[in-house]
Amino acid sequence: HAGDCTRDDVPVCCASHQASVTELLQSGLTHASTLGVEIEASFFKSCWSATSRLLSAMPADEDALQATAAGKAYKSACALLLVIARTVSLDAWKGLVSDFIDTSEISVQWLQLACLLLAAEMSADHRTELYVAMTKILPSIPKVLLDSATSGCSSERRVSLSNCILSWTASLAVHGKMCLNDTHVGTILFICEAVPFSADCSRMSTVCGRMGELLRLLLKHHAAAVTGHVAVLFGVCQRLMQAIMALCSLTMSQTKAHEQEKAGNSKQSGPTDAELQGQHVVVRPDKIDLDAAARKKSAESFARILEYVAGKKSFSKYAPYLLASYLSYSTQYPMQTSVKSALLAGIYAMLACCGPHELSLLKATSGRAEQELFDPLYADFKKFFKYSGKI
């Protein structure tokens, strides 16, 4: 009877009814699997199709999805699909995965479900089919991000989409690592380049944190493949560093403005909004993430990435350019002490991998303001870092 409610000719009904039907199907399939009852593949396909229709009708924003009555129906639908993944035959599973990949629009809901499926309990053969199919989606993700930036959708939706894409690619990098080749890793790095940092600043630290975690996982599980895309990796690192520093600078600017307002002084100090707009990062001072712990965590994660790549000889020739970017951004974005201290561990590691030639290149390409910052930075590096732990 519940299966009849999932036919394609049955219209999408209210959220409570959807939740009831999917919960009933989930329970029935679980008991059927326990009892060893064989279920026809057509029934799985009908359930899968109807559940996909249900998901497409859900709110697009991640927070809105959790805050509405549709959230319960969404969770029930996801649970049903996970039961199907555990109980369906391999041949039927191949067809379901193919339909899921080919016919579904890449949205917040789709990406959330994809993350659940990547981490779901299933047989090794089922898992391999899913991972191979997921990798086929990778080339289309950069276009999805670019379309979201030019389609006029809200900044909140762009941020939700970016966060879900970063979480999905991170899940793929970990759970599907055996199915990723050098081309896939390069595509993931291009996805990081396409992620916009011009979205709602109240969540920018979340985007920075998830991108940093994705880069860490790539370096941990696919270091050899990343080596073939060093230039792209450093381009991503430059954008991520700028985003972290710009966010911190905005927070400092707003904090000073609030302090002056309380003191009766209407004049603002610190960088203006126009001064805080970098080449890649466009920021909105009306929505600031005041979570200092999140910003510091993003900076620490990024510093660990720099410490890791500094130990690879193939990365050393790019170190001067990243250091030059750090000096340039430092003149634009004054940082809070906690964030600056967190970043310095990675910056010192970059300096450690620079030889005389790289240091000469860095000095030659630095302007006067950058040189004034570099001299005390390098002095502190020699005093506190260069010879630490060495006999």
Side-chain angles (χ1 to χ4, degrees), residues 89-301:
S89 67
L90 181 59
D91 289 339
W93 176 246
K94 291 179 180 179
L96 295 179
V97 170
S98 178
D99 291 342
F100 178 64
I101 297 298
D102 295 337
T103 63
S104 299
E105 178 185 357
I106 298 177
S107 61
V108 170
Q109 299 93 324
W110 187 94
L111 290 162
Q112 287 178 321
L113 177 57
C115 290
L116 287 175
L117 289 174
L118 285 171
E121 177 185 350
M122 62 183 75
S123 71
D125 291 336
H126 283 60
R127 191 179 299 278
T128 300
E129 287 293 331
L130 177 65
Y131 294 161
V132 171
M134 288 287 185
T135 58
K136 297 178 181 178
I137 294 293
L138 282 172
S140 64
I141 297 297
K143 185 177 184 302
V144 172
L145 287 166
L146 293 175
D147 289 345
S148 70
T150 58
S151 62
C153 63
S154 65
S155 60
E156 290 80 5
R157 183 169 183 176
R158 290 199 302 271
V159 170
S160 293
L161 183 64
S162 297
N163 279 330
C164 286
I165 285 175
L166 291 172
S167 295
W168 172 71
T169 49
S171 296
L172 193 60
V174 175
H175 301 295
K177 56 186 177 182
M178 300 304 295
C179 299
L180 293 181
N181 56 33
D182 291 359
T183 302
H184 296 144
V185 172
T187 303
I188 291 176
L189 289 173
F190 280 115
I191 289 173
C192 291
E193 275 201 320
V195 170
F197 284 113
S198 57
D200 185 353
C201 286
S202 66
R203 299 185 189 176
M204 188 184 288
S205 62
T206 305
V207 176
C208 293
R210 294 192 185 187
M211 184 177 291
E213 177 64 11
L214 174 57
L215 293 177
R216 185 189 69 81
L217 292 172
L218 287 177
L219 291 167
K220 178 180 180 180
H221 297 292
H222 309 278
V226 172
T227 303
H229 306 278
V230 180
V232 182
L233 173 64
F234 269 87
V236 174
C237 287
Q238 283 179 319
R239 294 190 66 228
L240 182 55
M241 179 169 61
Q242 185 184 18
I244 293 172
M245 295 173 72
L247 175 62
C248 178
S249 178
L250 270 175
T251 305
M252 289 182 65
S253 177
Q254 189 189 56
T255 301
K256 290 180 180 179
H258 286 173
E259 290 175 352
Q260 291 175 352
E261 184 178 352
K262 290 180 181 179
N265 184 0
S266 60
K267 181 179 179 181
Q268 291 189 7
S269 63
T272 64
D273 180 35
E275 293 169 339
L276 291 173
Q277 291 185 0
Q279 182 179 1
H280 300 289
V281 182
V282 181
V283 289
R284 290 174 54 187
D286 57 319
K287 292 186 177 180
I288 305 298
D289 183 357
L290 298 177
D291 188 353
R295 293 194 307 276
K296 183 180 178 181
K297 185 177 180 181
S298 295
E300 290 173 342
S301 176

Side-chain angles (χ1 to χ4, degrees), residues 278-353:
Q279 182 179 1
H280 300 289
V281 182
V282 181
V283 289
R284 290 174 54 187
D286 57 319
K287 292 186 177 180
I288 305 298
D289 183 357
L290 298 177
D291 188 353
R295 293 194 307 276
K296 183 180 178 181
K297 185 177 180 181
S298 295
E300 290 173 342
S301 176
F302 179 70
R304 286 194 294 270
I305 293 171
L306 295 184
E307 288 176 312
Y308 180 88
V309 299
K312 307 295 181 181
K313 291 184 178 180
S314 58
F315 295 103
S316 61
K317 64 180 180 180
Y318 293 93
Y321 303 102
L322 193 62
L323 289 168
S325 296
Y326 170 77
L327 294 173
S328 175
Y329 298 153
S330 295
T331 63
Q332 303 173 52
Y333 312 126
M335 290 182 292
Q336 292 171 312
T337 304
S338 60
V339 177
K340 184 177 181 180
S341 299
L343 281 176
L344 277 179
I347 298 302
Y348 285 162
M350 286 283 102
L351 283 170
C353 74

